[in-house]
Amino acid sequence: MARSKRPRRLHLALHVALLPLAIIALLGYVGSVLWSIRISFSSSRLFPRTDWVGFTQYERLFETERWIVSLNHLGILALVYILGVLVLGTLMAVFIDQQVRAESWFRTIFLYPYAMSFVVTGLIWQWLFNPGLGLQSAFRQMGWTSFTLDWTVRPDMVLYAIGLAMIWQGSGTTMAILLAALRGVDEEQWKAARLDGVPKPRYYLSIVLPQLSPAYATAFVLLAVALVRTFDVVFVMTSGGPGDASEVPAKFIIDHLFGRNNIGLASAASVVMLSTVFAVLAPLLYWRSRVQARLAAGH
Amino acid sequence: MKLQLQPVVAAVLATVAVLAAPQAYAQKAEVIHWWTSGGEAAAIKEFASAYTKGGGTWIDTPIAGGGGAQARTVMANRTMGGDPPTAAQYNYGRQYEEIIKEGLLNNLDDVAAKGNWDKLLPEKIKNAVKVDGHYYAVPVNLHNENWVWYNKAVLEKAGAKEPTTLDEMFAAMDKIKAAGGGVVPLALGGQGWQEGITFRGVLLATGGLDLYNKTFKDKDTSGPGFRKAVETFKKLKGYVDPGSPGRDWNLATGMVIEGKAGFQMMGDWAKGEFINANKVAGKDFGCFMAGGPKMPYAIGGDVFVFPKSKNKDSEVAQKKLAEMMISPAMQVAFNNKKGSIPIRTDVDTSKMDVCAQAGVQAIKEGRLLSSDNELLSPDAKGAFEDVVSKFWNSDMSVDDALKSMTVALKR
Amino acid sequence: MTTTTTAASIAPQDRARPRPRRPWITPARIGVYSFLIVTAAFFLLPLYVMVITSLKTAGEIRQAVLFAWPSSPQFGNWVEAWSSACIALECEGIRGGFWNSVRLVVPATVLSVFLGALNGYALSFWRSKWGDLLFAIMLLGAFVPFQVMIYPLVAWFRLGGFYNTYWAILVVHCVFGMPVLTLLFRNYYVAVPQELFKAARIDGGGFWRIFLQLMLPMATPMLIVATILQVTGIWNDFLFGLIFAGKENQPMTVQLNNLVNTTFGVRRYHIDMAATILTSLVPLAVYFFSGRWFVRGIAAGAVKG
């Protein structure tokens, strides 16, 4: 698209309009990141200090087992949560798309968890998984004596319990995104596929879902943002336990920021976490912007 | 754009009117605390009513969560933001150490001189609220975290003797285990801070005051005493049910109340749960101190600090608050409702129950101990509890635990 | 774009009509319904536990039988949670925070959605180097842990002199809503044909006129999605309300937290659950009544990537 020189009046209007964005992006986000980086090189405890201690905080960070463990957990949760939501969301969207009755009821049931904050739903999930209190004890009392669901008290399974609670909360919105995209798929394709004798599942898998890749991309970004911010559910459901078996970076950072009066260490942890996320996502976003530039160029 | 004069004049007149108002209404006191539940609120109501009766206005700012962590977060941010409250609750310890260092708190030397705090307060409590020779916090009560609570009926049924020391408790728990019937010997809420309390209780029981100070004051974990404490601590795991991780402390107390468990190691706030369930001390439930009858009382409990502010009136309000909170009448009224012990020894404690009397005795005999909260930085305390929790919940070896604990203590 | 609007605006039952009648009970349909019903049960389970717990007495809760139906449902718990539950010295329940939350959510949503739409519009139709850079910063900024931003924001507000006021919390919600909203609107506007924009320019439209009279009304489906997301997010926010709003503007979630999270006091789970359900009613209602538009709105916008 050939862009002619804009008259000064419009130039001004554009800049005025982008002012809030600029202020927030620069003062808020860039400023905070720069401030964090600065603090991570100081010995700040509860209040910021302006001394320099080199990489001491980072050294200490990587000597702290709880931090290393939390990074591993974030990786595991990334797989469980993002894959889980994408798969479940796809299934829910596809099945609802089959012209079921009471569609709006199903849709509401799948969407409502997102409306509730984890402060109390996390506690419910903790109770559900507790062997003496929740589903395990209920099923055993009903006669199914070998039923076991004690994930939250087992260090090796607790992350999956948290993942499940997160999938419960997040699948609805992904389903909505995918359902909307499904509704945009041309009806004729199904007729053509039927004539060719393609069974419905094959049809969805090979023909429809690939067309939904922009929707999947959007869902993925939103899920990744939610994942990195994961804090409430862990805090309320397991407090990072048993031991540190369900610790996550965001919780580590918050605990050290104000609970342990150590903003220096917390800032170092934030910088590390941010760098990791950027390292993974920057290439993805760059690729996406290239794709969009190509699309836009087609206008 | 013409400036309208009328509203401006009106505003100026109104401001003048407010400034000229009688001083009584200027003594507003905004108090941050985390006592939101019924029993706790009844206690702070005593303070609020007394202050209001004295002519001031009490503005209540409760902030629950995290055992005070949320309140401290808000306090730190409001101080940074230039809008601090008149008074803020803290626990005894080093949480407010940095705020003092930054010069953000008013000292209470005038009030202390008037109330003769130097003579009035027990030595250890004085040390807890005095920094560099100046008083910065007013102590309002004494809590102890190292109590053990038990259900009398459960013990009787299992044929166990009611213990007064940790060793006797092991014997009793063995009897409960043998009696079976699904009763859990030790009800534990598997959260870091509860595991920490359990550990410190074992520490006191194993080596008393000397071991406690050696560990938290000298940061020295060498020696057989500490090792024995760590091993004994892990021994307790055999008496805890598998559903313990993540459980809230009060659900564990509930287990003891309902007879589903025999013992719980928890602070004296657990008494509130028993009382709420209409259980009577000495009849339905019993209590003893984890370290035995002569155990030193590790100082726990609450203090109030008073941030500096641009507003001169707040200083007057702060002094009134401090005086009121430490007065004999208020100490009795507040602590009766709270279930804790007054920090003054010159008040009437005869109406307190059996468990509280033991604490009063400890003060009288001078068996007070600076707690780990005071001896360790919040960071070190947290790191230490991390290791304790990891050791409890995994198959970490005793040697590894010892190593990690030593590192943590030195934060 | 046309296929999308056609497909999305025809209700499911209408789409079925032109097809020949098929028997409804086929293995495939049984499979579909079973899956949906089982999944729905999974989703409803926590809500069920929450509701029955809110109707129990303290004694029943202490007995800790999670799924037991209360012997006699105590609807009084709900009344107590709303109007007389004690939070520290005040025994007014959580209703006080309700109006504070409303007072906050409405302007904050309007402002943040407006800014998001404005940014999306400016970034997609008025390409500029600065714009693209800011957008990239914003997108990466979405991943900054918000706890880390608290101290810097407090410091900025203190400089501006409006810390702990209504404006502070308003600005905070705009700050944290901006990345996702900008992303959503930008994606939406990118899918709008440039011809429309060029035509408007030729007609003499300036920056603001095109936005306010053409592009903003055109983005109605996305406006609805953004509004729903913001209403939910801002209503459920707790931490920022706690730190930035000041006492007079304390939202309902802060009160809920005070009610639910006492550490050393007696915990009354039945009242806690009732209070949580009451607090969640607003976002729940929003989802219940607008779920349909939520899906339609996303259909018209976000899916184009």
Side-chain angles (χ1 to χ4, degrees), chain A residues 45-49 60 64-66 69 123 126-127 130-131 152-153 155 239 242-244 256 258-262, chain B residues 73 76-77 79-80 95 98-99 102 104 191 242-243 245-248 251 377-379 382-383 386 389-390 393 411:
Chain A
R45 288 273 162 172
L46 179 61
F47 293 113
R49 291 185 196 164
R60 186 180 149 201
T64 309
E65 201 189 324
R66 205 175 132 192
V69 159
L123 186 63
Q126 186 202 103
W127 289 354
N130 189 286
T152 43
V153 304
S239 312
D244 58 8
H256 281 83
F258 298 117
R260 304 221 180 146
N261 292 10
N262 196 341
Chain B
T73 304
N77 279 296
T79 315
M80 271 275 280
Q95 291 278 3
E98 205 174 332
I99 305 189
E102 299 277 324
L104 294 165
Q191 294 171 340
R247 178 185 290 145
D248 285 327
L251 287 179
S377 71
D379 197 14
D386 283 345
S389 184
K390 182 90 196 250
N393 283 292
R411 290 270 175 245

Side-chain angles (χ1 to χ4, degrees), chain B residues 141-145 268-269 297-302 338-341:
Chain B
N141 66 7
L142 211 56
H143 266 301
N144 186 279
E145 62 175 20
D268 47 20
W269 48 85
Y297 216 73
I299 297 180
D302 310 289
K338 187 87 175 37
S340 48
I341 298 173

Side-chain angles (χ1 to χ4, degrees), chain A residues 3 6 10 29 36 46 95 98-99 101 112 114-115 120 168 180 183 187 214 229 254 270 281 288 292 299, chain C residues 7 15 29 33 35 43 47 66 127 141-143 147-148 151 175 190 201 207 236 276 287 299 303 305:
Chain A
R3 214 173 43 198
R6 282 189 225 124
L10 285 173
Y29 289 97
S36 285
L46 179 61
F95 282 8
Q98 305 303 309
Q99 287 114 43
R101 301 212 199 134
Y112 93 86
Y114 195 71
V120 176
W168 170 84
R183 294 265 156 88
E187 285 273 295
R229 291 186 175 169
I254 293 195
S270 311
L281 282 172
R288 255 188 106 211
Q292 272 168 2
H299 278 191
Chain C
R15 277 159 73 180
R29 293 222 67 91
Y33 277 101
F35 172 80
F43 275 84
L47 187 63
L66 197 63
R127 304 302 293 268
F143 293 95
Q147 306 84 9
V148 148
Y151 252 0
V175 168
V190 156
R201 289 271 270 129
F207 181 91
N236 278 336
T276 307
Y287 270 80
V303 301

Side-chain angles (χ1 to χ4, degrees), chain A residues 30-242:
Chain A
V30 173
S32 302
V33 171
L34 289 177
W35 185 86
S36 285
I37 296 179
R38 172 65 187 90
I39 295 288
S40 72
F41 288 114
S42 75
S43 70
S44 303
R45 288 273 162 172
L46 179 61
F47 293 113
R49 291 185 196 164
T50 48
D51 57 352
W52 284 94
V53 295
F55 284 94
T56 317
Q57 299 283 19
Y58 290 93
E59 283 165 19
R60 186 180 149 201
L61 190 64
F62 284 99
E63 279 166 12
T64 309
E65 201 189 324
R66 205 175 132 192
W67 169 250
I68 314 262
V69 159
S70 77
L71 287 176
N72 288 343
H73 294 164
L74 194 66
I76 297 177
L77 271 180
L79 242 81
V80 170
Y81 174 59
I82 296 185
L83 261 168
V85 169
L86 289 179
V87 168
L88 187 60
T90 304
L91 286 173
M92 294 195 297
V94 166
F95 282 8
I96 285 194
D97 193 39
Q98 305 303 309
Q99 287 114 43
V100 295
R101 301 212 199 134
E103 171 188 319
S104 52
W105 283 103
F106 280 118
R107 204 181 43 224
T108 310
I109 291 176
F110 295 149
L111 274 176
Y112 93 86
Y114 195 71
M116 312 201 79
S117 100
F118 256 127
V119 170
V120 176
T121 53
L123 186 63
I124 305 272
W125 277 106
Q126 186 202 103
W127 289 354
L128 285 173
F129 273 108
N130 189 286
L133 188 62
L135 286 167
Q136 177 173 307
S137 114
F139 275 117
R140 288 194 180 181
Q141 274 167 22
M142 288 200 299
W144 186 354
T145 47
S146 61
F147 181 80
T148 316
L149 189 71
D150 56 355
W151 292 359
T152 43
V153 304
R154 289 172 49 181
D156 56 338
M157 293 298 286
V158 62
L159 270 183
Y160 299 103
I162 292 184
L164 194 64
M166 288 169 72
I167 292 176
W168 170 84
Q169 201 224 27
S171 301
T173 25
T174 299
M175 173 207 76
I177 293 178
L178 295 175
L179 184 61
L182 275 177
R183 294 265 156 88
V185 165
D186 196 347
E187 285 273 295
E188 305 301 315
Q189 294 183 47
W190 170 231
K191 293 199 184 135
R194 268 187 83 199
L195 284 174
D196 281 346
V198 178
K200 213 157 197 196
R202 253 317 274 299
Y203 163 68
Y204 272 104
L205 222 60
S206 320
I207 302 178
V208 177
L209 294 188
Q211 288 176 37
L212 264 39
S213 33
Y216 277 108
T218 308
F220 178 81
V221 171
L222 294 178
L223 287 173
V225 172
L227 171 75
V228 164
R229 291 186 175 169
T230 301
F231 160 71
D232 316 27
V233 57
V234 172
F235 186 69
V236 180
M237 208 167 147
T238 62
S239 312

Side-chain angles (χ1 to χ4, degrees), chain B residues 131-362:
Chain B
V131 175
D132 289 338
H134 296 286
Y135 282 97
Y136 281 103
V138 60
V140 297
N141 66 7
L142 211 56
H143 266 301
N144 186 279
E145 62 175 20
N146 302 116
W147 284 94
V148 184
W149 311 91
Y150 57 86
N151 183 317
K152 279 182 173 254
V154 166
L155 263 61
E156 216 185 291
K157 209 161 140 214
K161 183 173 92 94
E162 291 187 12
T164 52
T165 66
L166 203 69
D167 291 325
E168 290 173 12
M169 181 173 120
F170 271 107
M173 289 200 293
D174 284 325
K175 287 253 165 67
I176 296 179
K177 214 172 172 184
V183 177
V184 178
L186 180 63
L188 175 69
Q191 294 171 340
W193 66 278
Q194 298 186 56
E195 289 152 357
I197 287 182
T198 311
F199 179 78
R200 289 188 291 275
V202 171
L203 194 67
L204 280 168
T206 318
L209 179 145
D210 292 325
L211 185 58
Y212 193 93
N213 275 334
K214 187 160 175 255
T215 310
F216 294 121
K217 200 162 172 191
D218 306 330
K219 323 262 200 289
D220 180 5
T221 56
S222 63
F226 188 77
R227 199 194 174 91
K228 181 153 173 271
V230 174
E231 289 166 352
T232 314
F233 171 66
K234 196 66 193 269
K235 231 176 91 184
L236 281 173
K237 189 119 193 248
Y239 300 96
V240 172
D241 66 306
S244 130
R247 178 185 290 145
D248 285 327
W249 74 269
N250 50 317
L251 287 179
T253 317
M255 284 168 72
V256 174
I257 294 178
E258 295 289 314
K260 296 198 182 131
F263 290 91
Q264 185 191 21
M265 295 175 74
M266 186 45 65
D268 47 20
W269 48 85
K271 228 184 342 178
E273 292 284 318
F274 284 101
I275 293 177
N276 248 358
N278 296 321
K279 301 293 179 193
V280 179
K283 206 176 80 166
D284 303 303
F285 70 95
C287 59
F288 69 94
M289 294 204 273
K294 287 290 159 196
M295 176 185 94
Y297 216 73
I299 297 180
D302 310 289
V303 307
F304 279 90
V305 302
F306 302 94
K308 284 200 180 132
S309 129
K310 296 168 269 175
N311 185 354
K312 279 294 156 204
D313 285 325
S314 73
E315 273 187 50
V316 178
Q318 289 170 345
K319 297 208 166 101
K320 274 184 83 172
L321 277 173
E323 262 181 60
M324 180 265 295
M325 287 175 175
I326 207 170
S327 66
M330 273 298 107
Q331 279 291 299
V332 172
F334 176 78
N335 284 291
N336 265 338
K337 291 267 162 66
K338 187 87 175 37
S340 48
I341 298 173
I343 43 103
R344 298 179 76 114
T345 43
D346 57 349
V347 291
D348 176 20
T349 53
S350 55
K351 294 219 192 58
M352 302 192 150
D353 65 65
V354 176
C355 306
Q357 297 279 9
V360 176
Q361 200 58 26

Side-chain angles (χ1 to χ4, degrees), chain C residues 82-112:
Chain C
W82 175 254
S83 57
S84 62
C86 291
I87 301 174
L89 298 182
E90 290 175 7
C91 291
E92 300 281 316
I94 52 171
R95 62 187 158 165
F98 181 78
W99 291 112
N100 280 350
S101 288
V102 172
R103 244 179 6 113
L104 176 63
V105 165
V106 174
T109 302
V110 169
L111 188 58
S112 54

